Amino acid sequence: MDVMRVRAIHTYPERRGPAVEHDAVRVGEAGLDGDRPRKAAVSLVGADSPQTRANLVLDGTTADVESLDGRVVRIGGVLLAVGATGNHCAGLYAAVGESGTVRVGDPVEVVEDRG
């Protein structure tokens, strides 16, 4: 796969509530603006798993997304340290290393391989 890009951005303001779609969203240390507190600041998944409640849906497969495990990536103005979810959920969780804005269409750039 060439460069993965953000296909969709979702927040979930209420537990079990519907997703709110965004074209762009600010991401801070605690996660996406408007998202309720969760296990991780940000969650990422591939386009083949849209039924999950992930914040960022990337245009690659979930296997492509999971290949980013242990890396630091830049998406838009945000720096994320990504890692496995540690449970049965598809995709990855991420901690925010640098706050900023993510937009639909932003590329995913690997900036550090911690593995």
Side-chain angles (χ1 to χ4, degrees), residues 56-80:
L56 302 180
V57 179
L58 305 182
D59 64 3
T61 65
T62 296
D64 291 335
V65 173
E66 290 174 345
S67 74
L68 298 173
D69 184 15
R71 295 189 167 114
V72 175
V73 299
R74 179 169 297 284
I75 304 176
V78 181
L79 200 61
L80 300 171

mmCIF file of all heavy atoms in Angstrom, residues 56-80:
data_model
loop_
_atom_site.group_PDB
_atom_site.id
_atom_site.type_symbol
_atom_site.label_atom_id
_atom_site.label_comp_id
_atom_site.label_asym_id
_atom_site.label_seq_id
_atom_site.Cartn_x
_atom_site.Cartn_y
_atom_site.Cartn_z
ATOM 1 N N LEU A 56 -10.420 7.249 14.160
ATOM 2 C CA LEU A 56 -9.880 7.501 12.825
ATOM 3 C C LEU A 56 -9.963 6.239 11.993
ATOM 4 O O LEU A 56 -9.437 5.191 12.378
ATOM 5 C CB LEU A 56 -8.418 7.954 12.911
ATOM 6 C CG LEU A 56 -8.135 9.199 13.745
ATOM 7 C CD1 LEU A 56 -6.640 9.515 13.732
ATOM 8 C CD2 LEU A 56 -8.947 10.394 13.266
ATOM 9 N N VAL A 57 -10.647 6.329 10.850
ATOM 10 C CA VAL A 57 -10.705 5.229 9.898
ATOM 11 C C VAL A 57 -9.741 5.587 8.776
ATOM 12 O O VAL A 57 -9.886 6.630 8.130
ATOM 13 C CB VAL A 57 -12.133 5.023 9.341
ATOM 14 C CG1 VAL A 57 -12.153 3.883 8.333
ATOM 15 C CG2 VAL A 57 -13.123 4.769 10.478
ATOM 16 N N LEU A 58 -8.732 4.734 8.582
ATOM 17 C CA LEU A 58 -7.740 4.966 7.533
ATOM 18 C C LEU A 58 -8.124 4.187 6.295
ATOM 19 O O LEU A 58 -8.826 3.182 6.373
ATOM 20 C CB LEU A 58 -6.353 4.558 8.036
ATOM 21 C CG LEU A 58 -5.907 5.219 9.351
ATOM 22 C CD1 LEU A 58 -4.495 4.776 9.711
ATOM 23 C CD2 LEU A 58 -6.008 6.734 9.280
ATOM 24 N N ASP A 59 -7.641 4.606 5.126
ATOM 25 C CA ASP A 59 -8.071 3.973 3.884
ATOM 26 C C ASP A 59 -7.363 2.659 3.564
ATOM 27 O O ASP A 59 -7.673 2.031 2.558
ATOM 28 C CB ASP A 59 -7.992 4.934 2.700
ATOM 29 C CG ASP A 59 -6.588 5.408 2.364
ATOM 30 O OD1 ASP A 59 -5.610 4.958 3.019
ATOM 31 O OD2 ASP A 59 -6.452 6.234 1.454
ATOM 32 N N GLY A 60 -6.474 2.203 4.420
ATOM 33 C CA GLY A 60 -5.862 0.879 4.258
ATOM 34 C C GLY A 60 -6.702 -0.176 4.953
ATOM 35 O O GLY A 60 -7.757 0.109 5.519
ATOM 36 N N THR A 61 -6.223 -1.399 4.914
ATOM 37 C CA THR A 61 -6.902 -2.472 5.643
ATOM 38 C C THR A 61 -6.513 -2.389 7.118
ATOM 39 O O THR A 61 -5.533 -1.726 7.486
ATOM 40 C CB THR A 61 -6.489 -3.857 5.111
ATOM 41 O OG1 THR A 61 -5.093 -4.049 5.394
ATOM 42 C CG2 THR A 61 -6.749 -3.997 3.617
ATOM 43 N N THR A 62 -7.260 -3.081 7.952
ATOM 44 C CA THR A 62 -6.910 -3.111 9.369
ATOM 45 C C THR A 62 -5.531 -3.746 9.554
ATOM 46 O O THR A 62 -4.759 -3.315 10.408
ATOM 47 C CB THR A 62 -7.997 -3.832 10.179
ATOM 48 O OG1 THR A 62 -9.200 -3.054 10.058
ATOM 49 C CG2 THR A 62 -7.632 -3.945 11.646
ATOM 50 N N ALA A 63 -5.182 -4.733 8.738
ATOM 51 C CA ALA A 63 -3.837 -5.328 8.803
ATOM 52 C C ALA A 63 -2.775 -4.271 8.494
ATOM 53 O O ALA A 63 -1.720 -4.230 9.146
ATOM 54 C CB ALA A 63 -3.721 -6.510 7.846
ATOM 55 N N ASP A 64 -3.038 -3.394 7.518
ATOM 56 C CA ASP A 64 -2.103 -2.297 7.210
ATOM 57 C C ASP A 64 -1.955 -1.372 8.410
ATOM 58 O O ASP A 64 -0.848 -0.970 8.774
ATOM 59 C CB ASP A 64 -2.590 -1.469 6.018
ATOM 60 C CG ASP A 64 -2.540 -2.200 4.691
ATOM 61 O OD1 ASP A 64 -1.735 -3.141 4.549
ATOM 62 O OD2 ASP A 64 -3.326 -1.827 3.795
ATOM 63 N N VAL A 65 -3.088 -1.033 9.026
ATOM 64 C CA VAL A 65 -3.057 -0.156 10.199
ATOM 65 C C VAL A 65 -2.286 -0.823 11.332
ATOM 66 O O VAL A 65 -1.426 -0.204 11.959
ATOM 67 C CB VAL A 65 -4.495 0.213 10.642
ATOM 68 C CG1 VAL A 65 -4.475 0.969 11.962
ATOM 69 C CG2 VAL A 65 -5.194 1.028 9.561
ATOM 70 N N GLU A 66 -2.561 -2.088 11.581
ATOM 71 C CA GLU A 66 -1.892 -2.803 12.671
ATOM 72 C C GLU A 66 -0.394 -2.960 12.440
ATOM 73 O O GLU A 66 0.366 -3.144 13.381
ATOM 74 C CB GLU A 66 -2.575 -4.139 12.919
ATOM 75 C CG GLU A 66 -3.962 -3.943 13.550
ATOM 76 C CD GLU A 66 -4.759 -5.211 13.707
ATOM 77 O OE1 GLU A 66 -4.416 -6.248 13.089
ATOM 78 O OE2 GLU A 66 -5.764 -5.165 14.441
ATOM 79 N N SER A 67 0.054 -2.825 11.190
ATOM 80 C CA SER A 67 1.495 -2.881 10.912
ATOM 81 C C SER A 67 2.215 -1.646 11.448
ATOM 82 O O SER A 67 3.440 -1.615 11.500
ATOM 83 C CB SER A 67 1.755 -3.048 9.407
ATOM 84 O OG SER A 67 1.501 -1.826 8.717
ATOM 85 N N LEU A 68 1.465 -0.638 11.871
ATOM 86 C CA LEU A 68 2.050 0.574 12.456
ATOM 87 C C LEU A 68 2.330 0.414 13.951
ATOM 88 O O LEU A 68 2.871 1.316 14.588
ATOM 89 C CB LEU A 68 1.117 1.774 12.255
ATOM 90 C CG LEU A 68 0.839 2.173 10.812
ATOM 91 C CD1 LEU A 68 -0.237 3.251 10.766
ATOM 92 C CD2 LEU A 68 2.109 2.640 10.120
ATOM 93 N N ASP A 69 1.984 -0.741 14.522
ATOM 94 C CA ASP A 69 2.189 -1.006 15.949
ATOM 95 C C ASP A 69 3.644 -0.719 16.336
ATOM 96 O O ASP A 69 4.575 -1.156 15.669
ATOM 97 C CB ASP A 69 1.829 -2.460 16.254
ATOM 98 C CG ASP A 69 1.919 -2.806 17.731
ATOM 99 O OD1 ASP A 69 1.990 -1.898 18.564
ATOM 100 O OD2 ASP A 69 1.918 -4.011 18.041
ATOM 101 N N GLY A 70 3.827 0.059 17.403
ATOM 102 C CA GLY A 70 5.172 0.365 17.888
ATOM 103 C C GLY A 70 5.830 1.542 17.203
ATOM 104 O O GLY A 70 7.008 1.818 17.449
ATOM 105 N N ARG A 71 5.091 2.256 16.405
ATOM 106 C CA ARG A 71 5.664 3.393 15.682
ATOM 107 C C ARG A 71 5.064 4.704 16.160
ATOM 108 O O ARG A 71 4.003 4.734 16.775
ATOM 109 C CB ARG A 71 5.431 3.222 14.180
ATOM 110 C CG ARG A 71 6.178 2.010 13.642
ATOM 111 C CD ARG A 71 6.136 1.972 12.145
ATOM 112 N NE ARG A 71 7.095 0.999 11.663
ATOM 113 C CZ ARG A 71 6.771 -0.120 11.037
ATOM 114 N NH1 ARG A 71 5.500 -0.423 10.830
ATOM 115 N NH2 ARG A 71 7.711 -0.945 10.632
ATOM 116 N N VAL A 72 5.735 5.764 15.840
ATOM 117 C CA VAL A 72 5.208 7.106 16.046
ATOM 118 C C VAL A 72 4.853 7.631 14.662
ATOM 119 O O VAL A 72 5.668 7.551 13.736
ATOM 120 C CB VAL A 72 6.245 8.022 16.734
ATOM 121 C CG1 VAL A 72 5.718 9.454 16.830
ATOM 122 C CG2 VAL A 72 6.601 7.472 18.115
ATOM 123 N N VAL A 73 3.620 8.113 14.530
ATOM 124 C CA VAL A 73 3.155 8.606 13.238
ATOM 125 C C VAL A 73 2.656 10.039 13.369
ATOM 126 O O VAL A 73 2.217 10.466 14.430
ATOM 127 C CB VAL A 73 2.036 7.710 12.647
ATOM 128 C CG1 VAL A 73 2.538 6.294 12.423
ATOM 129 C CG2 VAL A 73 0.789 7.716 13.518
ATOM 130 N N ARG A 74 2.756 10.754 12.262
ATOM 131 C CA ARG A 74 2.173 12.092 12.175
ATOM 132 C C ARG A 74 0.986 11.984 11.231
ATOM 133 O O ARG A 74 1.092 11.467 10.124
ATOM 134 C CB ARG A 74 3.168 13.113 11.640
ATOM 135 C CG ARG A 74 2.529 14.509 11.542
ATOM 136 C CD ARG A 74 3.536 15.600 11.275
ATOM 137 N NE ARG A 74 4.521 15.758 12.330
ATOM 138 C CZ ARG A 74 4.310 16.352 13.512
ATOM 139 N NH1 ARG A 74 3.121 16.817 13.806
ATOM 140 N NH2 ARG A 74 5.287 16.468 14.386
ATOM 141 N N ILE A 75 -0.151 12.468 11.725
ATOM 142 C CA ILE A 75 -1.360 12.560 10.910
ATOM 143 C C ILE A 75 -1.832 14.002 11.025
ATOM 144 O O ILE A 75 -2.223 14.446 12.108
ATOM 145 C CB ILE A 75 -2.460 11.585 11.379
ATOM 146 C CG1 ILE A 75 -1.950 10.139 11.391
ATOM 147 C CG2 ILE A 75 -3.689 11.706 10.479
ATOM 148 C CD1 ILE A 75 -2.955 9.123 11.928
ATOM 149 N N GLY A 76 -1.748 14.736 9.934
ATOM 150 C CA GLY A 76 -2.054 16.158 10.002
ATOM 151 C C GLY A 76 -1.086 16.816 10.957
ATOM 152 O O GLY A 76 0.118 16.585 10.903
ATOM 153 N N GLY A 77 -1.615 17.602 11.897
ATOM 154 C CA GLY A 77 -0.772 18.284 12.868
ATOM 155 C C GLY A 77 -0.561 17.517 14.153
ATOM 156 O O GLY A 77 -0.071 18.074 15.125
ATOM 157 N N VAL A 78 -0.936 16.234 14.172
ATOM 158 C CA VAL A 78 -0.912 15.438 15.400
ATOM 159 C C VAL A 78 0.176 14.370 15.333
ATOM 160 O O VAL A 78 0.313 13.675 14.326
ATOM 161 C CB VAL A 78 -2.285 14.786 15.641
ATOM 162 C CG1 VAL A 78 -2.298 13.965 16.913
ATOM 163 C CG2 VAL A 78 -3.372 15.842 15.683
ATOM 164 N N LEU A 79 0.915 14.231 16.434
ATOM 165 C CA LEU A 79 1.919 13.176 16.562
ATOM 166 C C LEU A 79 1.334 12.119 17.484
ATOM 167 O O LEU A 79 0.900 12.431 18.593
ATOM 168 C CB LEU A 79 3.195 13.771 17.153
ATOM 169 C CG LEU A 79 4.482 12.999 16.933
ATOM 170 C CD1 LEU A 79 4.797 12.860 15.454
ATOM 171 C CD2 LEU A 79 5.628 13.704 17.646
ATOM 172 N N LEU A 80 1.300 10.854 17.027
ATOM 173 C CA LEU A 80 0.703 9.759 17.783
ATOM 174 C C LEU A 80 1.687 8.624 17.977
ATOM 175 O O LEU A 80 2.352 8.209 17.017
ATOM 176 C CB LEU A 80 -0.527 9.199 17.045
ATOM 177 C CG LEU A 80 -1.682 10.148 16.782
ATOM 178 C CD1 LEU A 80 -2.710 9.483 15.864
ATOM 179 C CD2 LEU A 80 -2.320 10.578 18.089
#
